[in-house]
Amino acid sequence: MKELMLGNEAVARGAYEGACAFGSGYPGTPSTEILEYLAPYEEVVVQWAPNEKVGLEVAMGVSMAGARALVTMKHVGLNVAADPFFSACYMGVGGGLVVVSADDPAMHSSQNEQDNRWLAKAAKALMIEPADAEEARWMTRAAFALSEEFDSPVLLRLTTRICHQTGVVNLEDPEPRPEGKYKKDIPKFVLLPGHARLRRHEVEKRLLAATALGNDSDRWNPIFPGGGDVGVITSGVAYDYVRETLPAASILKLGLTHPLPLERIKKFAASVKKVIVVEELDPYLEEQVRAAGVAAEGASLRPYFGELNLPLVEEMLLGEAKEKVTISLADVEIPRRPPTMCPGCGHRPIFKVLRDKRIRVMGDIGCYTLGALKPLGAMESCLCMGGSIGMAEGLDRFGGEGVSGRVVGVIGDSTFFHSGLTGLIDLVVNGSSATILILDNGTTAMTGAQPHPGSGVDIRGGEAPRLDPAEACRGVGVKRLVVVDPYDMDNFEQVLEEELAAPEVSVIIARAPCVLNESVVFAPAVELDLEKCNDCGLCIRVGCMAIRVVGGRPEILADLCNGCGVCADVCPEEALAIPEPAET
Amino acid sequence: MASTDITNVLLSGVGGQGILTAGRLLALAALHRGLDVKMSEVHGMSQRGGNVDTHVRLGETVPSSLIPRGGAHFLVSFEKLEALRYLDYLRPDGVAFVNRLEISPLTVAIKQPSYVDDVDGLLEQKAPLLLWIDGTEMARTLGDLRMVNVILLGALSTRLPALAEADWEAAIAERFAKPKVREAVGAAFLKGVEACPAP
């Protein structure tokens, strides 16, 4: 049966067909939808993990029990899970274990564009790379058996344009579940140095065997013979552009990209006059192809970073793009439309106060990172998940006059449960006096409102234990803790000053549900009295999409406004007001 | 299969306008016709009020999912500024369907203009062929602002001979299970068709 599926949906379908028993992960664009699409398959246990490392650890336990497991994350999530990932490659598996790394070339929704193919090579894992939604399905399905055959975790490496590409997928019936069971094997699963040294040999044997598979396999590494002098070696989404650019060329399409099938590559290279390697991001394939003695070109013909697309690949292979741009927009200045906090968002009043008080904000990853953008401009760092807390401690200690004592670490609730707790422990035990602000909206908002440990629901919408970040803070020794309403800016300002002045760690939790949450009830739109308005622009500086400027004067867009009242609070002329509720 | 046999439809607008659903319906209609189809979409950070684009490509064989700049046969824009931003994706013989709606990007200072002056004039001057659609007004009349996407698809369908009425009906039936919703969507689609009489 044929069906239209998003790449991520096809991965979930492949996992289901491949008799996967367990799925875990942490939300992160572009990987998030995989687990959401896996959840409806009732046969599979599916759960969000507090972070990627824990998700992979649970999956390793599942694998030791003999069942098949899938763990999903974005590329930087694999950095968090790198510790168990690297060692799992020494241990090997019981039931098949598939780790998804969804890379984000061009950084559509990410802080970097690291090419995680290097991590498969460094960890010595097997790696596969699908080129479209149908391949995402069958490769994921096949990955579990591959993992078991070679006794290795398999890294399923995706990129944004595979994850978020919709295409035609051929559904197949699921495989029967393998009858795996737990087997005690101390030398394999306890990586004491003596055991690990023995496992090291097994790792090399496995890679040799997988190389042999790659050299022989028309399924994983097909060669499409064609005409012309140029032979192209490619993988992943780059294959799509190559196929479209040179439909009749010789192509070696690599699906199993670690270990690389160098004999097959050499054989292919010998059959053509010139080899061009087309790949996205780093010259991962190209460097190894050249190191094997094959003369090849690649990265020198394309931008060294960012995404590929059809015109770029046409320039690489044909010398110029087929389609010409004929409509010029050079003479128009088109204002950018960057992402912004939603109208009514509880983060906005917090950043308004932090900006006005010139607080040094060490930020973190989530919707609230948008607090760094104009007109708020009230965040001065964003490093990694959980990074705000340690950075606040460091800057507070060494910032000197005007900085020390004026530093706040700002972190969301999902990010706090992901990797904030250990940072907070550092502050407590090392006697820091920094102030940490947890923005608690009850959800993982940026990736589309996935539940987290503080949400009280699971991935299928069922009831789950609800952890309170305040209790977690107290549990690790925080003595000063205040919960505030973010919309009450006067109170927040006062609490902030008190906590900044305190000589010990303090945590302020600003609690208000995410406005994307359907149960949030909005007030009617704010009304603007232009006769009272003196065009001072303070309401504009709050940075809300529901206020725009027409002819130098503010205007409220009633369709967008949900009456949070923050603009009315900042208006010195009382020109903005929430209307009195109508009689019912 | 050369790229000239592929029909490229670029949908653009602001996050939250129902653009993904429109792309999905178009892709489903193509699948019903027995065509190959690929679609590329945007999720994540840009959806927070940023501009979004969905690429839909249909044909006998569609190898890749992104439309090259200068290669779109049709641009279906849910908002005027987002029509202008993506206008250079159109081929010299391309057609732009533009919903009459202005959504200002976030304004950061009282002295900053919120929008482009004379956006209508710019679009009319630069587009090879431009069809204005009063999608938002029509949806308001129908009592459901979310119907803008279906109205725009109805308009597009009048210039897309590769897909027949039955393909669109099948797509709507697959995407909307509830008979009442399906009926409302079908009616909105027809409004779009009527708004765009064949040339």
Side-chain angles (χ1 to χ4, degrees):
Chain A
M1 198 174 89
K2 282 185 175 182
E3 205 170 296
L4 263 188
M5 279 192 175
L6 186 68
N8 280 345
E9 186 179 3
V11 170
R13 174 71 198 186
Y16 161 71
E17 290 183 4
C20 176
F22 175 81
S24 185
Y26 183 80
T29 311
S31 73
T32 311
E33 300 85 5
I34 299 172
L35 278 196
E36 293 182 316
Y37 278 113
L38 190 60
Y41 295 107
E42 286 170 7
E43 300 85 339
V44 190
V45 174
V46 185
Q47 57 195 44
W48 289 119
N51 69 29
E52 298 84 355
K53 176 178 184 291
V54 174
L56 179 50
E57 288 154 355
V58 179
M60 267 305 279
V62 172
S63 170
M64 278 185 75
R68 293 179 168 180
L70 178 84
V71 196
T72 69
M73 58 202 73
K74 67 183 296 171
H75 59 310
V76 284
L78 190 54
N79 300 343
V80 177
D83 194 358
F85 179 64
F86 274 65
S87 294
C89 292
Y90 276 39
M91 280 187 180
V93 301
L97 175 64
V98 178
V99 179
V100 177
S101 168
D103 296 10
D104 190 17
M107 296 167 276
H108 296 276
S109 285
S110 304
Q111 63 269 50
N112 76 11
E113 61 171 5
Q114 71 189 41
D115 187 333
N116 273 5
R117 294 178 299 172
W118 300 114
L119 265 75
K121 189 165 160 44
K124 304 182 188 301
L126 268 62
M127 172 168 60
I128 56 177
E129 286 185 77
D132 62 17
E134 165 60 10
E135 286 197 1
R137 181 200 63 83
W138 80 252
M139 283 194 183
T140 307
R141 177 188 173 117
F144 294 95
L146 194 69
S147 167
E148 287 161 10
E149 183 183 347
F150 291 92
D151 193 17
S152 166
V154 170
L155 188 73
L156 174 64
R157 194 260 187 168
L158 309 171
T159 53
T160 299
R161 300 297 183 180
I162 300 296
C163 294
H164 293 158
Q165 170 181 130
T166 294
V168 185
V169 171
N170 300 306
L171 306 191
E172 291 184 84
D173 290 333
E175 289 174 22
R177 286 225 174 147
E179 285 181 37
K181 60 173 196 241
Y182 177 67
K183 226 169 74 192
K184 176 176 166 180
D185 189 345
I186 289 175
K188 176 170 159 66
F189 289 112
V190 181
L191 292 180
L192 282 166
H195 295 162
R197 282 193 286 269
L198 293 174
R199 291 302 303 168
R200 189 71 186 76
H201 292 268
E202 298 304 318
V203 169
E204 291 308 312
K205 279 188 214 161
R206 161 220 295 166
L207 289 178
L208 284 175
T211 306
L213 170 76
N215 281 329
D216 290 341
S217 176
D218 291 332
R219 184 181 190 218
W220 287 106
N221 297 324
I223 292 174
F224 303 105
D229 292 345
V230 171
V232 181
I233 299 174
T234 183
S235 72
V237 75
Y239 166 75
D240 302 354
Y241 307 126
V242 171
R243 197 31 140 184
E244 189 158 340
T245 302
L246 295 175
S250 293
I251 300 172
L252 168 55
K253 177 190 173 299
L254 298 172
L256 179 58
T257 47
H258 190 258
L260 277 185
L262 290 173
E263 290 310 314
R264 196 175 184 83
I265 288 168
K266 285 182 195 163
K267 199 176 77 182
F268 174 77
S271 74
V272 294
K273 287 201 178 128
K274 181 181 178 188
V275 173
I276 297 182
V277 180
V278 182
E279 60 192 317
E280 209 167 60
L281 295 183
D282 297 344
Y284 165 86
L285 300 174
E286 185 184 346
E287 284 185 6
Q288 293 177 77
V289 166
R290 288 160 76 130
V294 174
E297 277 188 279
S300 62
L301 304 171
R302 63 171 171 94
Y304 207 72
F305 51 86
E307 273 187 330
L308 289 181
N309 55 38
L310 197 54
L312 281 175
V313 173
E314 286 167 351
E315 280 170 28
M316 280 182 82
L317 299 176
L318 306 172
E320 60 173 354
K322 287 180 196 164
E323 306 286 0
K324 299 280 175 276
V325 178
T326 53
I327 298 168
S328 170
L329 298 174
D331 56 334
V332 215
E333 199 178 319
I334 301 175
R336 290 180 62 239
R337 195 190 292 276
T340 172
M341 292 169 198
C342 305
C345 177
H347 299 336
R348 185 175 289 107
I350 293 288
F351 283 102
K352 189 262 170 201
V353 171
L354 293 169
R355 176 196 64 198
D356 291 353
K357 298 188 75 63
R358 298 173 189 274
I359 302 296
R360 306 296 176 176
V361 173
M362 298 292 99
D364 224 299
I365 293 177
C367 288
Y368 48 93
T369 317
L370 298 171
L373 302 183
K374 283 182 185 170
L376 292 166
M379 183 182 286
E380 301 180 22
S381 82
C382 167
L383 176 68
C384 64
M385 292 289 285
S388 58
I389 298 183
M391 289 187 70
E393 177 188 348
L395 182 66
D396 189 53
R397 252 196 206 150
F398 284 87
E401 205 185 322
V403 177
S404 294
R406 306 300 288 169
V407 177
V408 171
V410 173
I411 185 168
D413 47 348
S414 188
T415 310
F416 176 72
F417 284 116
H418 177 284
S419 48
L421 270 167
T422 40
L424 200 53
I425 291 171
D426 188 85
L427 268 61
V428 170
V429 302
N430 289 313
S432 168
S433 59
T435 299
I436 303 302
L437 180 53
I438 301 176
L439 305 180
D440 180 5
N441 63 5
T443 190
T444 316
M446 181 58 92
T447 46
Q450 289 72 29
H452 63 65
S455 303
V457 288
D458 64 24
I459 191 169
R460 290 183 168 121
E463 211 174 304
R466 187 187 165 282
L467 306 191
D468 182 352
E471 292 303 316
C473 293
R474 291 195 186 98
V476 299
V478 172
K479 299 280 190 292
R480 297 185 66 98
L481 190 140
V482 194
V483 179
V484 300
D485 169 5
Y487 298 99
D488 187 346
M489 290 184 279
D490 289 343
N491 176 59
F492 170 56
E493 207 174 316
Q494 193 186 329
V495 168
L496 183 64
E497 282 302 345
E498 279 167 22
E499 297 313 313
L500 283 170
E504 59 185 304
V505 180
S506 36
V507 172
I508 304 170
I509 298 180
R511 186 171 286 161
C514 174
V515 292
L516 291 175
N517 183 336
E518 281 173 29
S519 64
V520 174
V521 180
F522 305 135
V526 163
E527 287 173 356
L528 168 63
D529 183 347
L530 276 177
E531 303 218 335
K532 289 185 185 168
C533 172
N534 65 359
D535 305 326
C536 70
L538 283 178
C539 58
I540 297 294
R541 301 225 335 122
V542 160
C544 179
M545 263 181 71
I547 316 175
R548 68 170 174 180
V549 176
V550 178
R553 311 215 67 190
E555 180 184 288
I556 299 291
L557 300 168
D559 277 355
L560 294 177
C561 175
N562 52 32
C564 75
V566 170
C567 59
D569 275 1
V570 304
C571 178
E573 305 298 323
E574 294 182 358
L576 289 154
I578 296 175
E580 294 296 317
E583 301 275 328
T584 48
Chain B
M1 180 65 48
S3 59
T4 44
D5 300 318
I6 298 173
T7 302
N8 295 321
V9 182
L10 184 68
L11 303 126
S12 71
V14 181
Q17 283 194 296
I19 295 163
L20 278 181
T21 304
R24 188 84 178 189
L25 281 168
L26 172 56
L28 281 170
L31 182 67
H32 184 264
R33 173 88 325 206
L35 296 173
D36 190 14
V37 58
K38 280 202 170 78
M39 169 169 147
S40 190
E41 48 201 66
V42 178
H43 296 253
M45 193 172 217
S46 10
Q47 282 182 302
R48 294 281 162 271
N51 47 290
V52 294
D53 54 78
T54 292
H55 301 224
V56 185
R57 313 188 70 208
L58 35 134
E60 287 302 318
T61 307
V62 182
S64 70
S65 67
L66 288 178
I67 298 169
R69 215 174 274 270
H73 298 82
F74 302 101
L75 172 66
V76 181
S77 291
F78 288 56
E79 199 274 343
K80 291 178 190 174
L81 188 58
E82 298 317 319
L84 190 59
R85 191 186 312 281
Y86 291 93
L87 205 63
D88 60 355
Y89 270 84
L90 276 177
R91 295 158 51 95
D93 58 352
V95 183
F97 299 82
V98 182
N99 183 35
R100 273 195 207 274
L101 176 69
E102 295 182 7
I103 302 177
S104 299
L106 180 67
T107 312
V108 300
I110 190 91
K111 292 203 173 128
Q112 179 211 356
S114 285
Y115 213 75
V116 174
D117 284 340
D118 190 26
V119 68
D120 291 21
L122 281 168
L123 284 168
E124 281 168 10
Q125 174 212 327
K126 287 178 181 290
L129 176 61
L130 184 127
L131 299 170
W132 288 109
I133 312 293
D134 285 313
T136 301
E137 259 332 289
M138 289 158 74
R140 211 184 288 277
T141 311
L142 289 170
D144 189 346
L145 279 175
R146 290 173 302 179
M147 291 295 176
V148 171
N149 56 2
V150 186
I151 292 167
L152 289 172
L153 279 185
L156 170 70
S157 74
T158 63
R159 300 292 193 281
L160 207 58
L163 301 179
E165 206 177 310
D167 302 321
W168 291 104
E169 279 170 10
I172 290 169
E174 172 153 354
R175 183 67 177 73
F176 301 99
K178 290 185 191 153
K180 258 191 144 169
V181 180
R182 190 183 301 174
E183 208 173 291
V185 167
F189 186 87
L190 274 182
K191 287 277 173 206
V193 173
E194 287 161 13
C196 245

